[in-house]
Amino acid sequence: MYRRIAMGTVLLTMVAAAPVYAAFGASDLIYLPVVAHTPGAVGSNWATDLYITNMDDVSVDVAMVYLPSGLVNNSGLFSTRDYWLGGREDDSFGRLNENLADIPPGGTVVLRDVLAEYWLDILGANGIGAMVVAGYEADTLEDDGSRVNRNITINARIYNVDVQWVEDDDNPGEFIEEPAQYGQNIPGVPWYNLADGGAVSEDYDLSYEVLTGGEEGGALRFNVGVVNASDPLTTLTVQIQPFQANGEPFLDADEIEIVSVITMPPGSHIQLFRPFRDDWGLEDTEGATVRVSILGWTSSSADPRPMMTSYGSVVVNNTNDPTTVLPSFGDSYNVECMWGGGTEGVKSTVSPRARPIEIPSQH
């Protein structure tokens, strides 16, 4: 099965439309678009802490799985609980933290340097990737249909472990080295806020996202990441395209629009490091935007869910201090259509959307 979305003349008008930021954060299935435990550029050294909060009125359990980067097919991680982290030993998760069981209403669990703690065996060459996190009513994970999904929120603090020189109080004029951190917060993306290749009609297009704040030069660098958040049988074709501050596309020496087209296997993640410079040959950009689009997909599923999410990060070169860039839906956004404003408050999504994955059955 293959679906292709028409591009053509609507390209510039879609980018020029006022972006709408997603604000709904709680869900029973959330994608963290990036987590890391890895050395980085300019001497940086990244780690990730997670903050998971129960937003429901009953106790919840949480389970999660790490998706290594590098455009590898991670669908096998959804077929067994061996690679999942959960809170109950009886649920047969391959990684265990009992704090993830019976989180009380309003309660929060903090996981420090989570990849180093639980996934060192599959970090891969980059030590970077994405995370899928599921919440459900405490002790209801049985495979007999009794599971009750419950709402949580999750945030990742991704920080560079560094040092700074401070004046020694006991010896004025002398400086000592102390630990320091420079970090950014990246919120999880609920499954219903994912870009959706099937959510396209004459009235809306939720198949693409726009990242702002594109900077590249001596002082700053810009990274772009994408997660294939589809079902485990769906491969995406994703296009990443930079635009100038005036809304016009960047062109190459032959006056052709600069784009990167990437095939993303199921569950895969990619981060482009400094794509303005290294992928597109663009120096000293300021005020640029990046459009990330689902061009099409192939799937062996009878009911494919072609979904993705993206992110950007602006990093100061001399301190490695990062700033998160969250994606915007670039097309017009009809709130009444999305949330059923004309039907007594009943939610009605713009396409037959559903959760793309589930926690695997116990073997």
Side-chain angles (χ1 to χ4, degrees), residues 162-240:
D162 204 348
V163 295
Q164 63 179 350
W165 291 93
V166 298
E167 189 169 7
D168 187 350
D169 292 337
D170 298 327
N171 299 285
E174 296 185 11
F175 291 82
I176 57 176
E177 191 177 85
E178 289 190 351
Q181 295 180 357
Y182 301 93
Q184 61 187 325
N185 179 75
I186 296 185
V189 181
W191 68 266
Y192 53 78
N193 272 352
L194 298 168
D196 186 343
V200 181
S201 78
E202 294 180 355
D203 301 319
Y204 53 78
D205 184 350
L206 301 181
S207 68
Y208 73 98
E209 297 175 336
V210 176
L211 301 169
T212 62
E215 302 272 1
E216 179 63 58
L220 300 172
R221 62 187 187 268
F222 191 82
N223 302 324
V224 175
V226 188
V227 185
N228 180 351
S230 307
D231 61 89
L233 298 177
T234 297
T235 295
L236 295 182
T237 301
V238 172
Q239 177 172 286
I240 305 174

Side-chain angles (χ1 to χ4, degrees), residues 131-185:
M131 193 87 75
V132 183
V133 186
Y136 47 95
E137 191 166 330
D139 203 19
T140 67
L141 192 60
E142 291 82 0
D143 299 325
D144 58 4
S146 62
R147 186 183 311 171
V148 181
N149 296 322
R150 294 291 183 176
N151 284 342
I152 59 173
T153 61
I154 182 165
N155 288 273
R157 189 175 78 91
I158 303 177
Y159 53 94
N160 174 39
V161 180
D162 204 348
V163 295
Q164 63 179 350
W165 291 93
V166 298
E167 189 169 7
D168 187 350
D169 292 337
D170 298 327
N171 299 285
E174 296 185 11
F175 291 82
I176 57 176
E177 191 177 85
E178 289 190 351
Q181 295 180 357
Y182 301 93
Q184 61 187 325
N185 179 75

Side-chain angles (χ1 to χ4, degrees), residues 281-296:
L282 303 172
E283 298 281 358
D284 298 323
T285 58
E286 182 180 37
T289 59
V290 176
R291 185 178 186 273
V292 184
S293 311
I294 300 175
L295 286 186

Side-chain angles (χ1 to χ4, degrees), residues 266-284:
S268 63
H269 173 278
I270 187 172
Q271 179 166 298
L272 303 182
F273 297 91
R274 307 188 77 158
F276 283 97
R277 185 193 69 177
D278 295 346
D279 292 82
W280 304 322
L282 303 172
E283 298 281 358
D284 298 323

Side-chain angles (χ1 to χ4, degrees), residues 23-352:
F24 299 100
S27 178
D28 50 24
L29 181 67
I30 297 178
Y31 285 74
L32 268 172
V34 63
V35 289
H37 176 88
T38 183
V42 199
S44 56
N45 187 27
W46 302 96
T48 303
D49 296 343
L50 300 186
Y51 300 81
I52 306 164
T53 300
N54 177 5
M55 302 297 287
D56 224 304
D57 56 3
V58 298
S59 293
V60 302
D61 292 355
V62 169
M64 63 188 72
V65 64
Y66 167 63
L67 307 177
S69 192
L71 292 179
V72 295
N73 187 333
N74 288 318
S75 61
L77 303 181
F78 298 124
S79 64
T80 172
R81 294 184 188 176
D82 291 347
Y83 298 104
W84 286 69
L85 170 66
R88 297 180 187 275
E89 187 173 1
D90 291 345
D91 288 333
S92 299
F93 290 110
R95 297 119 211 276
L96 184 69
N97 183 325
E98 294 180 351
N99 292 324
L100 296 176
D102 291 311
I103 304 172
T108 296
V109 172
V110 181
L111 302 179
R112 303 290 184 189
D113 201 2
V114 63
L115 294 189
E117 184 71 22
Y118 299 105
W119 284 283
L120 272 178
D121 58 326
I122 59 169
L123 279 184
N126 295 323
I128 187 172
M131 193 87 75
V132 183
V133 186
Y136 47 95
E137 191 166 330
D139 203 19
T140 67
L141 192 60
E142 291 82 0
D143 299 325
D144 58 4
S146 62
R147 186 183 311 171
V148 181
N149 296 322
R150 294 291 183 176
N151 284 342
I152 59 173
T153 61
I154 182 165
N155 288 273
R157 189 175 78 91
I158 303 177
Y159 53 94
N160 174 39
V161 180
D162 204 348
V163 295
Q164 63 179 350
W165 291 93
V166 298
E167 189 169 7
D168 187 350
D169 292 337
D170 298 327
N171 299 285
E174 296 185 11
F175 291 82
I176 57 176
E177 191 177 85
E178 289 190 351
Q181 295 180 357
Y182 301 93
Q184 61 187 325
N185 179 75
I186 296 185
V189 181
W191 68 266
Y192 53 78
N193 272 352
L194 298 168
D196 186 343
V200 181
S201 78
E202 294 180 355
D203 301 319
Y204 53 78
D205 184 350
L206 301 181
S207 68
Y208 73 98
E209 297 175 336
V210 176
L211 301 169
T212 62
E215 302 272 1
E216 179 63 58
L220 300 172
R221 62 187 187 268
F222 191 82
N223 302 324
V224 175
V226 188
V227 185
N228 180 351
S230 307
D231 61 89
L233 298 177
T234 297
T235 295
L236 295 182
T237 301
V238 172
Q239 177 172 286
I240 305 174
Q241 181 172 13
F243 288 81
Q244 302 175 63
N246 64 5
E248 296 290 331
F250 283 99
L251 305 179
D252 63 17
D254 298 320
E255 300 296 310
I256 298 174
E257 295 182 12
I258 295 174
V259 299
S260 295
V261 177
I262 301 171
T263 300
M264 299 193 66
S268 63
H269 173 278
I270 187 172
Q271 179 166 298
L272 303 182
F273 297 91
R274 307 188 77 158
F276 283 97
R277 185 193 69 177
D278 295 346
D279 292 82
W280 304 322
L282 303 172
E283 298 281 358
D284 298 323
T285 58
E286 182 180 37
T289 59
V290 176
R291 185 178 186 273
V292 184
S293 311
I294 300 175
L295 286 186
W297 62 88
T298 58
S299 182
S300 57
S301 171
D303 186 22
R305 302 291 173 180
M307 298 178 174
M308 68 89 183
T309 190
S310 63
Y311 62 92
S313 185
V314 181
V315 187
V316 180
N317 284 327
N318 62 358
T319 64
N320 291 310
D321 185 23
T323 300
T324 301
V325 179
L326 300 179
S328 305
F329 287 114
D331 202 2
S332 58
Y333 191 88
N334 188 326
V335 175
E336 289 189 358
C337 181
M338 284 294 294
W339 296 101
T343 55
E344 298 181 356
V346 177
K347 295 179 182 179
S348 58
T349 55
V350 298
S351 68

